[in-house]
Amino acid sequence: MESPHRPGTDHSGPTRLGRWDVVAKIASGGMSSIYLGRQVEPGPDPHEPRMVALKVLRHEVRDDPRVIKMFLTEGQLLVRLVHPNIVRTLEVHVDDERGFIAMELLLGQSIAAIQDACVERGLRLNPEIAAFCVARVADALQYANEITDDDGRPLDIIHRDVTPQNVFVSYAGEVKLIDFGMAKIVDGSITGPNLLVGKLPYLAPEQIQQMPLDHRTDIFALGVTFWELLTAKRLFRRNTDEETIEAVRSGRIPDVREVAPEVPEEIARIVATALERDRDKRYWSTSELAYDLDAFLVPDVQAGMGERLSALVHTLYPDEYAEQQGWLVPPPGSSHSVSLPPAPPAPPSSRSGLPPMPPSSPSLSESVPVRRYTLPPMNPPPRFGAASSRPFLQPAAPNDDDT
């Protein structure tokens, strides 16, 4: 996952990229850095956002043709993907000096960071929240698999990097799949042969065996992600790469209820089906997976899920909310005003807060439609999925603000 930066002047980075002024670096990774960009020239779409995220190739990798190809592939794929659960790409540009992708600016946290913040407090995500997030990612993957090229032929896009780090939850309660940098079109016309790419603990067995891939590879990775969200444990990760690969190939896959007894039986069955090593026994499509999850999540639960997700992110990351709000302050003299959604208000007194959980089965659980939770204070709060050595904490009892 990309590491965070507090926005500020970055004298070593670009100051202008295409139609965008570069405001500050906000994250960095192995091959690219993420900058905050502000529109200075209008684009073809009058509804285009004024503030964007600019994914820029790092100087030290710009001479590597493999990196350039991956970057262009990501851009070529992303510009076609217009879906509410996929980060929106606005512009792709590569030349001899710079390569960048302008994307919608996502304000919130990855589900990996949310999970880490819960683990810090000895909690697990509510199974309904985990199921809803996984269902929306499944919708996004199905869309990517079905989208067509200019001649109307399905592209059969495989993401190949479905992990908790690449599932984002916004402060408005939206779920977005990000980072198609490892994506592959099934016939290989863009990305070539089946290379062992992606994060090892989320590879499917057929990737390790170098078999031809299809959309069921993403289903297995999504199954691993789902298992980990429900249990707050790592499924396949081991101390070495060799041990991790062997665990993916043949390690035991425990029923989620062995670790998290509060998970409903139907959810456990869905997870087990997604994690079948024999892909012919897996879900045939991500739409089938999403259908089963949505059938579990009755309409009333789905209708309030955006509000619950928003409350969850605001509760776990209030300081980051205030920091990201500052990203959007327009420069002096600007007539443009952009703002984050407001923090959820305190619920009416008839609503309950976060109840204490039994030590043997901690779970992040709340009454619907609670819009704010009481959690133990963290000093400082965990940032962007950072690891911590703090012991587990028990949830705080509800107070007057939560009742």
Side-chain angles (χ1 to χ4, degrees):
M1 182 180 177
E2 291 163 335
S3 58
H5 288 257
R6 290 188 180 276
T9 302
D10 183 354
H11 298 290
S12 64
T15 58
R16 175 78 178 265
L17 293 169
R19 299 182 290 110
W20 316 96
D21 267 349
V22 178
V23 178
K25 181 186 286 188
I26 55 177
S28 61
M31 294 191 300
S32 61
S33 297
I34 307 295
Y35 292 85
L36 184 65
R38 180 178 288 113
Q39 185 191 80
V40 291
E41 294 179 11
D45 182 0
H47 303 292
E48 188 175 69
R50 305 288 184 182
M51 304 298 295
V52 298
L54 298 168
K55 184 173 185 177
V56 183
L57 275 176
R58 295 169 66 92
H59 177 77
E60 54 268 32
V61 300
R62 285 203 297 267
D63 293 332
D64 188 333
R66 296 172 301 173
V67 173
I68 295 294
K69 183 175 182 179
M70 286 176 60
F71 196 79
L72 280 172
T73 296
E74 181 181 14
Q76 290 167 354
L77 295 181
L78 281 174
V79 293
R80 295 180 177 272
L81 302 179
V82 183
H83 186 274
N85 300 116
I86 297 176
V87 61
R88 181 78 175 97
T89 294
L90 306 169
E91 181 181 353
V92 180
H93 180 85
V94 175
D95 58 26
D96 292 338
E97 294 187 2
R98 292 284 184 188
F100 73 89
I101 299 175
M103 303 175 291
E104 68 172 309
L105 180 63
L106 297 180
L107 302 167
Q109 301 291 332
S110 73
I111 199 75
I114 293 170
Q115 179 83 315
D116 284 348
C118 290
V119 169
E120 288 278 356
R121 295 165 168 89
L123 306 172
R124 282 196 288 265
L125 283 175
N126 183 297
E128 290 179 348
I129 288 177
F132 180 82
C133 291
V134 170
R136 303 293 69 81
V137 174
D139 286 341
L141 292 170
Q142 186 67 30
Y143 170 84
N145 190 245
E146 293 178 344
I147 197 169
T148 60
D149 62 15
D150 293 336
D151 296 322
R153 295 188 296 265
L155 288 176
D156 295 330
I157 295 171
I158 310 171
H159 188 281
R160 294 202 297 182
D161 199 20
V162 178
T163 68
Q165 290 85 358
N166 287 333
V167 179
F168 198 92
V169 180
S170 76
Y171 282 107
E174 305 162 305
V175 179
K176 301 271 187 177
L177 179 63
I178 64 174
D179 200 348
F180 279 73
M182 298 294 182
K184 173 183 172 61
I185 291 178
V186 168
D187 65 8
S189 59
I190 287 184
T191 57
N194 291 321
L195 301 176
L196 193 61
V197 298
K199 298 177 180 67
L200 292 181
Y202 301 92
L203 294 181
E206 60 266 24
Q207 288 176 283
I208 293 173
Q209 297 168 17
Q210 295 287 281
M211 297 171 62
L213 306 182
D214 61 25
H215 57 278
R216 291 171 292 179
T217 296
D218 284 340
I219 293 175
F220 190 88
L222 190 54
V224 177
T225 297
F226 198 9
W227 191 98
E228 294 184 347
L229 292 180
L230 292 167
T231 64
K233 303 288 185 182
R234 300 300 296 269
L235 179 55
F236 293 126
R237 184 176 180 178
R238 302 294 189 267
N239 292 329
T240 67
D241 288 350
E242 292 77 10
E243 291 174 346
T244 297
I245 289 174
E246 187 57 32
V248 173
R249 192 197 316 272
S250 60
R252 180 174 177 267
I253 302 176
D255 187 303
V256 293
R257 290 168 298 177
E258 294 181 24
V259 183
E262 73 277 8
V263 172
E265 183 177 354
E266 178 61 16
I267 289 296
R269 182 196 65 79
I270 292 171
V271 174
T273 304
L275 285 174
E276 286 283 358
R277 284 195 170 90
D278 181 350
R279 58 184 173 183
D280 289 334
K281 296 180 180 179
R282 253 175 252 160
Y283 282 103
W284 175 251
S285 68
T286 48
S287 62
E288 184 184 4
L289 171 58
Y291 179 88
D292 277 0
L293 289 171
D294 285 336
F296 168 79
L297 297 167
V298 296
D300 287 348
V301 171
Q302 290 192 53
M305 194 57 71
E307 186 178 15
R308 291 168 67 181
L309 281 170
S310 175
L312 180 63
V313 185
H314 276 287
T315 301
L316 294 173
Y317 285 95
D319 294 342
E320 282 72 13
Y321 170 80
E323 179 181 329
Q324 292 182 21
Q325 177 83 49
W327 296 356
L328 304 181
V329 176
S334 172
S335 60
H336 304 310
S337 177
V338 189
S339 64
L340 278 163
S349 59
S350 60
R351 308 281 167 78
S352 62
L354 184 73
M357 304 304 300
S360 61
S361 178
S363 175
L364 186 59
S365 175
E366 78 290 344
S367 300
V368 181
V370 168
R371 291 179 289 179
R372 182 169 292 168
Y373 312 115
T374 298
L375 293 175
M378 303 296 294
N379 185 27
R383 293 175 54 82
F384 296 86
S388 172
S389 59
R390 295 189 189 94
F392 284 2
L393 300 174
Q394 292 300 313
N399 61 29
D400 291 343
D401 292 333
D402 302 300
T403 57

